[in-house]
Amino acid sequence: MKFQGSEEYVATDDLTIAVNAAVALERPLLVKGEPGTGKTELAHQVATALSLPMIEWNIKSTTRAQQGLYEYDAVSRLRDSQLGDERVHDVRNYIRKGKLWEAFEAEGKVVLLIDEIDKADIEFPNDLLQELDKMEFFVYETGETVRAKQRPIVIITSNNEKELPDAFLRRCFFHYIRFPDETTLRKIVEVHHPGIKDALLTTALTQFYELRDQPGLKKKPSTSEVLDWLKLLLAEDLTAEDLKRDGANALPPLHGALLKNEQDVHLFERLAFMARGQR
């Protein structure tokens, strides 16, 4: 069971090594990187490439670790008892299984994605240590222990918004997805926009990297954003000639796909103003 990337996902050698190492070690793969660098998509592609079902747990700021195991609805049980409902005699009727439980009870191996773990409370990763390590948990309401029938491939993503606890990191295989160089980005673009003219792509990527490398930028545009920008350029039938800029215009056409806050737009407007003043 080896992951080699796919036709829809350009995986670098170090990323494929990381995925296969985590699978071999039976450890969760913790993937960090800038937003938009394909961390979430990696889990989907691993599942597709290995022909495995995928279970996705999207983490929010209000998510608790217990929700990944199960939730007991005591309020509904109390209401049903007042109404004389026969369901109250079986507590299992009021237990809602979480994503980890789904993954543990699956008959075959699955890919379990825990997406954006750094959005949750700082204690969230620690609260899952034992369950991810031992692949089992105890259900207090029924007195049963739920054990994984087959150890799932666990992929955990983080945008690095919070530091994760050392005890949690020790149990993971770690990989940081670096922003792709131009050669890799060209391969990614070819997957999403096959047949794009080389002159347009070369000019667009040159401008993109110049914009991305501008000092003082608050939010650097990501891989997904350059793909959106290229899609717009193609939709508008723009050419490499249309992308040429003079010093008085520091912003590329349709820059709203790349720059997502007014501070960065103002930065380039100031650069254009200064360039005009020097002419």
Side-chain angles (χ1 to χ4, degrees):
M1 187 176 285
K2 291 280 187 179
F3 174 69
Q4 301 294 341
S6 69
E7 293 181 1
E8 293 80 27
Y9 188 88
V10 177
T12 57
D13 290 342
D14 57 344
L15 178 55
T16 58
I17 289 170
V19 171
N20 292 319
V23 172
L25 291 172
E26 296 188 326
R27 295 277 189 179
L29 173 63
L30 173 62
V31 184
K32 289 187 179 183
E34 294 179 29
T37 50
K39 299 183 299 296
T40 302
E41 183 61 22
L42 171 65
H44 290 269
Q45 293 300 327
V46 169
T48 300
L50 302 182
S51 300
L52 298 176
M54 196 180 91
I55 295 173
E56 189 168 352
W57 186 15
N58 297 300
I59 307 303
K60 302 177 181 178
S61 59
T62 55
T63 304
R64 295 176 293 107
Q66 181 63 32
Q67 291 172 314
L69 307 179
Y70 69 93
E71 291 184 279
Y72 170 53
D73 192 350
V75 174
S76 292
R77 193 181 189 193
L78 175 61
R79 183 189 63 239
D80 288 350
S81 68
Q82 293 170 339
L83 296 173
D85 194 318
E86 289 297 318
R87 296 173 73 249
V88 298
H89 299 299
D90 188 351
V91 69
R92 289 176 176 80
N93 291 323
Y94 303 93
I95 290 179
R96 184 164 58 248
K97 297 176 181 179
K99 298 297 184 181
L100 265 73
W101 192 329
E102 289 180 29
F104 286 6
E105 73 174 2
E107 292 299 329
K109 187 178 283 292
V110 302
V111 174
L112 171 63
L113 169 63
I114 303 177
D115 200 24
E116 298 190 339
I117 195 172
D118 53 324
K119 279 187 176 180
D121 182 85
I122 190 62
E123 289 303 319
F124 179 93
N126 278 336
D127 291 342
L128 288 178
L129 283 180
Q130 180 171 323
E131 288 77 13
L132 290 176
D133 202 21
K134 294 186 175 181
M135 286 288 152
E136 65 178 42
F137 62 89
F138 185 71
V139 183
Y140 293 93
E141 289 76 11
T142 63
E144 66 179 311
T145 298
V146 176
R147 295 184 178 88
K149 295 179 179 179
Q150 289 206 45
R151 183 178 284 266
I153 297 173
V154 181
I155 297 178
I156 303 170
T157 71
S158 169
N159 288 327
N160 239 357
E161 293 181 6
K162 292 177 189 162
E163 287 295 323
L164 298 174
D166 288 345
F168 180 79
L169 294 175
R170 281 197 300 272
R171 289 165 168 82
C172 297
F173 190 93
F174 172 76
H175 181 74
Y176 183 85
I177 298 182
R178 295 180 178 85
F179 193 83
D181 57 24
E182 186 170 342
T183 301
T184 304
L185 190 53
R186 278 178 173 271
K187 293 178 182 176
I188 295 171
V189 171
E190 185 61 32
V191 168
H192 292 270
H193 304 299
I196 187 171
K197 291 181 180 179
D198 187 66
L200 173 61
L201 180 57
T202 299
T203 303
L205 291 186
T206 298
Q207 291 190 11
F208 170 73
Y209 278 105
E210 287 175 354
L211 185 150
R212 181 178 160 81
D213 294 338
Q214 175 62 44
L217 206 60
K218 183 177 180 181
K219 182 194 176 302
K220 294 183 178 183
S222 67
T223 310
S224 61
E225 286 159 341
V226 72
L227 291 174
D228 286 345
W229 183 50
L230 289 169
K231 183 177 181 180
L232 289 174
L233 297 182
L234 292 170
E236 294 295 324
D237 201 23
L238 298 182
T239 65
E241 192 69 25
D242 295 324
L243 294 185
K244 286 187 177 178
R245 298 172 293 168
D246 54 31
N249 184 12
L251 286 168
L254 302 166
H255 61 266
L258 299 172
L259 301 176
K260 299 301 177 73
N261 63 69
E262 64 278 9
Q263 177 179 314
D264 290 341
V265 174
H266 291 160
L267 170 64
F268 282 93
E269 288 175 343
R270 288 196 300 271
L271 290 173
F273 178 77
M274 291 169 62
R276 287 195 296 270
Q278 293 172 0
R279 295 175 66 182

